[in-house]
Amino acid sequence: SLRPYESQRKIYIIEDADTMTDRAQNRLLKTLEEPPQYALILLLSANVYRFLPTIRSRCQIIKLNRIPFAQIEDYLERVHQVSPGEARILAAFSDGFLGKAVRLKESQEFQAERENVIKLIEKLLRKEPLQSFSLVEFFKDHKKNIEEILDLMLIWFRDMLLLDETGSEKLLINLDQKNRLERHIESIRKERIPYMIEQIEEAKRNIKANVNFELAIEVMLLRIQEG
């Protein structure tokens, strides 16, 4: 009922609109059918099919695509004065969302987590007996971030593979850690890197399939260490 004060339009944004109950959606229906001329109503949703058909039929559906990583890197470097190496890793974990990239930049937890994962990989590659069992505790303590941690591991081994195959740093995500990547490549049989990547991907699948968490991690770590 409040008319716009400074402009010709008033914009209403409803976040997570798809979480509304059927009753709430039905209450909104009349407003969508006969909105004020000055109103623009945005219903934000990750899944449009959670809306009632009556809601969908009265809305214009606009699909928002993820932003290319290169554009996110450029924005972080230009606007937030982030180094190229840091911009690349933040863009890789942004999942195409600029806001997430900025939040990660300001997150000390993410930076610490990344360093911890690199150190964990270093311990694995030393092939010390029973090392993999002691490392399980790290994953149990960070279970809520397990997907992010496994992605950090995947990207690290992927960079090792790229650097070994091409000798170029152009496509590296962990650009700021090139020296450590090179040391890790020298410490293992290079042809086993794809096998290690497969083990991490399998662990991700098993965890999503509700396989025993500790068992899935132990098997992954043992196989990586064997590799």
Side-chain angles (χ1 to χ4, degrees):
S1 62
L2 298 176
R3 298 184 63 83
Y5 178 65
E6 293 183 340
S7 64
Q8 294 182 344
R9 283 192 173 274
K10 191 160 188 177
I11 299 173
Y12 300 85
I13 301 175
I14 304 178
E15 295 189 26
D16 300 319
D18 55 315
T19 62
M20 286 191 293
T21 63
D22 290 355
R23 182 180 178 187
Q25 291 187 45
N26 283 323
R27 289 289 297 273
L28 185 64
L29 199 57
K30 182 169 178 59
T31 302
L32 294 180
E33 288 175 338
E34 301 175 7
Q37 289 185 347
Y38 56 79
L40 177 63
I41 304 171
L42 303 178
L43 309 180
L44 305 188
S45 167
N47 186 350
V48 69
Y49 294 104
R50 290 177 183 162
F51 291 114
L52 296 174
T54 48
I55 294 287
R56 294 202 304 269
S57 67
R58 287 160 176 79
C59 295
Q60 179 182 353
I61 298 174
I62 302 173
K63 294 183 179 180
L64 304 178
N65 295 321
R66 286 171 169 76
I67 302 172
F69 289 173
Q71 289 185 24
I72 294 177
E73 282 185 55
D74 176 68
Y75 175 85
L76 291 172
E77 292 178 31
R78 184 167 38 83
V79 177
H80 292 274
Q81 287 75 52
V82 172
S83 67
E86 187 181 358
R88 190 168 296 184
I89 192 77
L90 292 173
F93 277 87
S94 68
D95 199 25
F97 297 105
L98 186 59
K100 183 177 179 180
V102 173
R103 286 195 301 274
L104 289 175
K105 180 191 80 69
E106 298 169 350
S107 170
Q108 293 182 348
E109 182 182 351
F110 174 75
Q111 302 298 342
E113 186 175 77
R114 180 187 176 216
E115 180 61 26
N116 286 335
V117 168
I118 296 172
K119 289 179 178 177
L120 180 145
I121 292 172
E122 287 175 347
K123 290 178 181 178
L124 270 179
L125 298 184
R126 288 179 197 148
K127 300 182 181 178
E128 296 175 5
L130 303 179
Q131 179 71 267
S132 57
F133 291 105
S134 65
L135 296 177
V136 172
E137 292 302 317
F138 171 81
F139 290 89
K140 289 165 65 177
D141 292 342
H142 297 81
K143 188 174 181 179
K144 64 182 179 70
N145 296 331
I146 188 60
E147 188 171 354
E148 196 169 84
I149 288 170
L150 293 178
D151 283 342
L152 279 165
M153 293 179 69
L154 275 174
I155 288 174
W156 188 264
F157 283 109
R158 168 240 183 227
D159 278 358
M160 287 173 62
L161 189 62
L162 276 173
L163 191 57
D164 179 59
E165 292 289 335
T166 67
S168 171
E169 62 182 42
K170 288 183 179 180
L171 298 176
L172 294 183
I173 291 175
N174 293 284
L175 182 62
D176 59 330
Q177 298 290 335
K178 183 185 175 186
N179 291 338
R180 289 169 94 174
L181 286 165
E182 289 173 335
R183 288 200 303 271
H184 287 185
I185 292 170
E186 292 302 318
S187 68
I188 62 172
R189 291 163 54 196
K190 302 174 183 64
E191 66 271 15
R192 299 293 283 174
I193 299 176
Y195 172 79
M196 295 174 176
I197 292 173
E198 288 175 11
Q199 300 315 308
I200 301 169
E201 290 177 336
E202 184 177 346
K204 287 186 68 174
R205 289 193 296 269
N206 286 338
I207 290 169
K208 284 185 178 179
N210 289 323
V211 171
N212 180 275
F213 178 83
E214 194 169 337
L215 178 62
I217 295 299
E218 283 182 2
V219 169
M220 176 193 74
L221 294 176
L222 282 169
R223 289 177 176 173
I224 289 175
Q225 196 171 49
E226 289 169 2

